[in-house]
Amino acid sequence: MVKEITVSGVRPTGKQHLGNYFGAVVNFVKMQEVFNGYFFVADYHSLTTHPKAADLHANVRQIIVEYLACGVDPNKCTLYLQSDVPQIPELYLIFNMFAYLGELERAATFKEKVRSQPENVNAGLLTYPVLMAVDIIIHRAAKVPVGKDQQQHLEMTRDFVTRFNNLYQVEYFPEPQAFNFDSNLVSIPSLDGEGKMSKSKGEQTCIYLTDEPEALRKKIMRATTDSGPTMPHSAKPIAVQNLFDLMKLVSPPETVSFFEEKYNDCSIRYGDMKKALAEDMIRFLTPIREKIVEVSSNEKLLTEIIGDGGSKARENATQTLKDVREIIGIKSF
Ligand code: ADP
Ligand code: TRP
């Protein structure tokens, strides 16, 4: 049976935290079993925020290493860098002609960047959704696993595709749909008791996959709680609920119910709960951390995987570009 094509991109943001792991990486690993998955690092996209050259490369490398360490298998999917597929910028150039200024200016992500980096409102930010659309359609993919914040980009992708198909009277590109592989989308809470775990909130509120045991213990012991329940069976404040939620991810169910009971009869000692959580978190992360070190030291393997992934992605992309040039009447002599 021919497997459906899916494309997913990740911005090179460096080391991954527990939220990235449960919210994205685990999904990749499951998807590769079912789909013909194209997974790439969106390094061109990241130029919109002007990273330093050395940081950019280190971040790209780190993401690849961590995805591999977490079980992304290059024998089951195509893992590559956006910048290794020159057909992407070529199709991006073409698709810029089908994207209108008004709609690009209305994108929520663009408006957010205008607010957050007023000193650098470059044209690449404006056309970010065009590049993202091309990432997807270059493989003629119909399914894209993205979170809520990317839904608008997917809608724009469909608009560009429809416009292209209508203008040239073809049904060449499918209209890609967002989909969730797991029906229950997870949101991993931050250690400061406010909102979701995010690297923008700072080192101390994030549990990184590479955190050493001692660092983990410190972060978890410092996590926000309150002075403890005074009434049996009272509702949990958010920060305390967050600790229980983290515990459910990495601890055995007996441990969770033990502390639930202690909470409900008001005898809970958060210090004890945090100690148990820290040790279970260490047990959960240690094999991942060790694998990250192992993969990271194997330059030859990385070069081979990214080389092969790039070749496979280019092969598919070359066919798309050939078809598109023919459809739009670009013909060489
Ligand atoms: P950050 O908020 O740390 O900058 P990113 O925006 O780079 O994280 O997210 C990369 C991927 O990880 C996205 O697919 C996002 O949905 C997922 N993700 C990030 N943080 C969380 C979280 N706390 N819970 C669940 N998924 C998350
Ligand atoms: N814009 C996405 C993000 O910020 C990353 C991305 C770029 C992407 N190109 C893509 C995701 C193509 C899915 C498909 O997370």
Side-chain angles (χ1 to χ4, degrees):
M1 201 185 75
V2 181
K3 288 183 178 174
E4 255 189 300
I5 296 178
T6 177
V7 174
S8 195
V10 57
R11 281 173 293 110
T13 47
K15 53 184 187 171
Q16 301 286 286
H17 55 69
L18 212 62
N20 304 135
Y21 179 80
F22 284 106
V25 189
V26 169
N27 249 349
F28 271 37
V29 173
K30 287 185 191 161
M31 277 185 318
Q32 68 189 358
E33 301 297 332
V34 184
F35 291 101
N36 181 5
Y38 287 84
F39 299 142
F40 71 96
V41 183
D43 48 0
Y44 277 145
H45 269 119
S46 69
L47 295 177
T48 52
T49 55
H50 296 178
K52 284 199 201 111
D55 290 350
L56 175 55
H57 181 68
N59 284 341
V60 168
R61 190 179 191 281
Q62 189 69 17
I63 287 243
I64 295 285
V65 165
E66 294 195 359
Y67 270 67
L68 288 169
C70 291
V72 170
D73 182 348
N75 294 312
K76 293 181 179 163
C77 68
T78 307
L79 186 62
Y80 62 99
L81 309 188
Q82 186 182 38
S83 60
D84 276 343
V85 185
Q87 291 79 12
I88 293 174
E90 195 170 337
L91 191 60
Y92 164 66
L93 173 106
I94 295 172
F95 263 76
N96 272 318
M97 322 301 175
F98 308 119
Y100 293 108
L101 183 60
E103 63 190 339
L104 295 173
E105 281 175 336
R106 280 194 298 277
T109 44
F110 178 67
K111 290 199 233 166
E112 199 281 314
K113 286 290 181 201
V114 171
R115 271 192 301 272
S116 65
Q117 55 177 61
E119 73 297 344
N120 180 19
V121 183
N122 58 68
L125 277 178
L126 186 70
T127 57
Y128 184 112
V130 185
L131 184 54
M132 175 158 168
V134 168
D135 290 331
I136 298 164
I137 64 175
I138 196 84
H139 299 300
R140 287 153 272 143
K143 284 204 165 72
V144 188
V146 285
K148 218 175 155 54
D149 62 328
Q150 300 295 314
Q151 298 277 13
Q152 195 184 20
H153 287 158
L154 258 274
E155 272 166 39
M156 294 173 84
T157 303
R158 285 193 290 276
D159 289 343
F160 303 148
V161 159
T162 315
R163 224 169 269 158
F164 176 91
N165 286 346
N166 285 343
L167 188 63
Y168 294 103
Q169 291 291 297
V170 288
E171 283 181 29
Y172 185 67
F173 290 114
E175 288 183 23
Q177 306 292 334
F179 90 114
N180 297 322
F181 192 74
D182 267 332
S183 46
N184 47 341
L185 271 187
V186 290
S187 179
I188 308 302
S190 167
L191 289 177
D192 64 1
E194 284 170 33
K196 59 173 205 151
M197 192 174 282
S198 170
K199 74 188 74 64
S200 59
K201 302 186 75 194
E203 290 269 324
Q204 291 310 315
T205 66
C206 270
I207 293 176
Y208 289 101
L209 303 182
T210 47
D211 277 346
E212 299 278 347
E214 217 25 62
L216 272 175
R217 285 191 192 100
K218 277 201 186 120
K219 280 186 195 180
I220 292 176
M221 293 313 285
R222 274 200 221 113
T224 309
T225 47
D226 66 352
S227 50
T230 49
M231 298 276 287
H233 295 275
S234 44
K236 298 189 186 82
I238 298 254
V240 175
Q241 183 61 50
N242 286 353
L243 278 190
F244 275 97
D245 288 348
L246 287 173
M247 196 168 228
K248 281 180 206 149
L249 296 171
V250 296
S251 298
E254 312 80 79
T255 310
V256 182
S257 39
F258 175 81
F259 286 103
E260 290 275 7
E261 278 169 33
K262 294 260 170 208
Y263 183 86
N264 284 332
D265 68 15
C266 303
S267 66
I268 192 160
R269 288 178 14 189
Y270 290 130
D272 292 347
M273 181 183 175
K274 287 174 175 178
K275 267 188 204 139
L277 173 61
E279 293 318 306
D280 287 334
M281 190 65 75
I282 291 167
R283 240 188 308 280
F284 178 80
L285 288 179
T286 295
I288 297 178
R289 193 181 69 251
E290 287 173 354
K291 192 86 195 166
I292 291 172
V293 174
E294 184 192 318
V295 177
S296 186
S297 65
N298 197 340
E299 202 61 47
K300 188 164 164 278
L301 179 78
L302 288 172
T303 308
E304 209 174 279
I305 289 172
I306 294 305
D308 288 353
S311 303
K312 267 169 72 189
R314 280 193 298 276
E315 207 176 295
N316 217 18
T318 303
Q319 184 60 49
T320 305
L321 208 65
K322 186 168 167 277
D323 295 342
V324 167
R325 287 169 70 104
E326 197 170 308
I327 291 169
I328 64 181
I330 298 269
K331 216 169 171 172
S332 155
F333 284 86

